Amino acid sequence: MSFSETTRARAREIIARYPADRSRSALLPLLHLVQSEEGYVSPAGVEFCAEVLGLNKAQVGAVATFYTMYKRKPTGDYLVSVCTNTMCDVLGGQKVYDTLAEHLGVGHEETTADGKITLEHAECLAACDYGPVMTVNYDFFDNVEPQAALDVVEELRAGGRPMPTRGARLCTLKEMAVQLAGFADERDGAVADGGPGEPSLRGLRLAEQHGVSVPGFDPKTPIRSKAEADRAAAEAKAKAEAAKPAPAPEPAKAVEPARPEAATGSTAPDVKAPDAKSPQVRTAETRQPDARTAVPDAPGTKMPVDGPAPAPRDARAAEAAGVAANPPAGDGKPAGDAAGAQERNLKEAESGTGADGADPADASGTGVRK
């Protein structure tokens, strides 16, 4: 499939949002973008994303198959998702799903014959306080009952767009994919519809009732732009630096007297003891010491020993007995198996005789060669 010039222009805009050496970060919105044109992420969509990002198709396909929001087969105009997870299931979510499946004549991730509705059950829609919940193209219908769900899908099939309980007005899955790719909903007043649900506001109501608030927080404080916020942060940092008292001069450090060589008789340079080094460095220095390696008689030095720690005598005896009882494995034989039977079978096969000297081809078992 050849994607439209609009899609290609939007793809270039998406990629430009990311640093030049991090362009593969644009893959997620690009997958939504190709889904907005085809209604799903097709093999052509995978190839398009790989082409514009300089990836291979396997890398793109691995991401597209990981996230459930990317559909791998044609999807209807309206994706109806019913939560059947624990909370919603207890409240009747499974009954809602079963009612819709029977009425529409489709199952999970199947689309009605008119191409309008694709039904799916969802593990969680993150709205447990509104359960059971159903979404249409990711917009919520809360506290839904079987009959209410039927009314919603019938209105959709008739060309209507029922108003979600929360959020903006409904749009098709392709229109929603454009928004998920990072582009605004261009319909007049679309994002001004809807509002928060009462359960979402419950915490604010309780805080207002009991006088709970964040210290120093003014809800009327205007939201600053990023440039203004960066400038204010730089000014605050400069003031904090200026307010710091001048650092007091450090007291003179006492000079440690040199240790006489006669204490140990060693001329080794004063280096850090190996105990403070990594195990790899200690091992390397033990096997191949050089002029900078501390010698055994350097003060405070413990030289590592290249070998296993000594084991108790009974432990060594048990280990030796175990080794003797389990000879090393040969090719194709588990550890500890005797090779005698296998060698005997191979010799018999080469000589053309069985264990009793009979010809293996003699089905009568008489041992007489025919």
Side-chain angles (χ1 to χ4, degrees), residues 282-314:
R282 291 203 306 270
T283 301
E285 290 182 347
T286 301
R287 294 176 177 172
Q288 294 182 341
D290 56 23
R292 295 176 298 175
T293 303
V295 296
D297 58 352
T301 299
K302 293 180 181 179
M303 292 301 295
V305 178
D306 188 14
R313 183 168 301 176
D314 55 348

Side-chain angles (χ1 to χ4, degrees), residues 125-127 133-136 138-142 163-167:
L125 294 176
V133 293
M134 176 181 80
T135 62
V136 177
Y138 310 115
D139 283 319
F140 283 95
F141 290 83
D142 302 326
M163 189 64 195
T165 308
R166 293 173 289 129

Side-chain angles (χ1 to χ4, degrees), residues 248-308:
E250 295 184 2
K253 294 182 179 180
V255 179
E256 184 179 354
R259 290 174 293 187
E261 296 179 2
T264 61
S266 172
T267 58
D270 189 10
V271 297
K272 185 179 292 186
D275 289 346
K277 300 179 182 179
S278 69
Q280 294 85 353
V281 173
R282 291 203 306 270
T283 301
E285 290 182 347
T286 301
R287 294 176 177 172
Q288 294 182 341
D290 56 23
R292 295 176 298 175
T293 303
V295 296
D297 58 352
T301 299
K302 293 180 181 179
M303 292 301 295
V305 178
D306 188 14

Side-chain angles (χ1 to χ4, degrees), residues 307-312 316:
R316 288 198 295 268

